[in-house]
Amino acid sequence: MASIFEATAGKLIGPTTGGTVTQATNKTTGVTLNAASGQITMNGASLAGGAEATFTVTNSEIAATDVVVVNHSSAGTAGSYLVQANSIAAGSFAITVANVGSTASEAIVLSFVALKGASS
């Protein structure tokens, strides 16, 4: 019997539910997206070079033991942003975006996936 960690060459495995959401108001405004994976279009408000912004993602699919992977997937200047999921709790997680470039006003798109975890 194949385990969930085995994959056929050329095939990707992962969540089969996803969604999209656009952040309103500014880069620290929270969003709600109740899916195991998805894309978040951030607000185009300014984020100066060297600055960072953190916002909360409310998501009923998330457990405190999960691992959330997030990256800058499109829009904006490639390589100019460092992105990290943190503060993972039942029903939510946070994303911190740091601008390591100089362009300040870009509505970047983030992709995330939640991997189910356990503590025992």
Side-chain angles (χ1 to χ4, degrees):
M1 179 173 167
S3 78
I4 62 169
F5 299 105
E6 294 178 37
T8 305
K11 302 285 184 183
L12 295 175
I13 57 172
T16 58
T17 64
T20 61
V21 67
T22 299
Q23 188 180 42
T25 312
N26 60 52
K27 285 188 167 30
T28 59
T29 301
V31 300
T32 299
L33 182 54
N34 295 312
S37 66
Q39 290 190 316
I40 301 164
T41 301
M42 291 189 71
N43 184 276
S46 182
L47 182 63
E52 62 183 41
T54 300
F55 66 95
T56 299
V57 179
T58 301
N59 186 322
S60 62
E61 298 291 318
I62 302 298
T65 53
D66 291 348
V67 175
V68 178
V69 179
V70 63
N71 65 12
H72 172 203
S73 59
S74 65
T77 306
S80 291
Y81 300 93
L82 298 177
V83 183
Q84 173 188 333
N86 54 74
S87 303
I88 300 167
S92 70
F93 60 95
I95 294 177
T96 299
V97 177
N99 183 350
V100 296
S102 59
T103 304
S105 298
E106 297 184 305
I108 65 173
V109 177
L110 308 177
S111 294
F112 77 89
V113 62
L115 306 172
K116 285 300 172 192
S119 61
S120 60

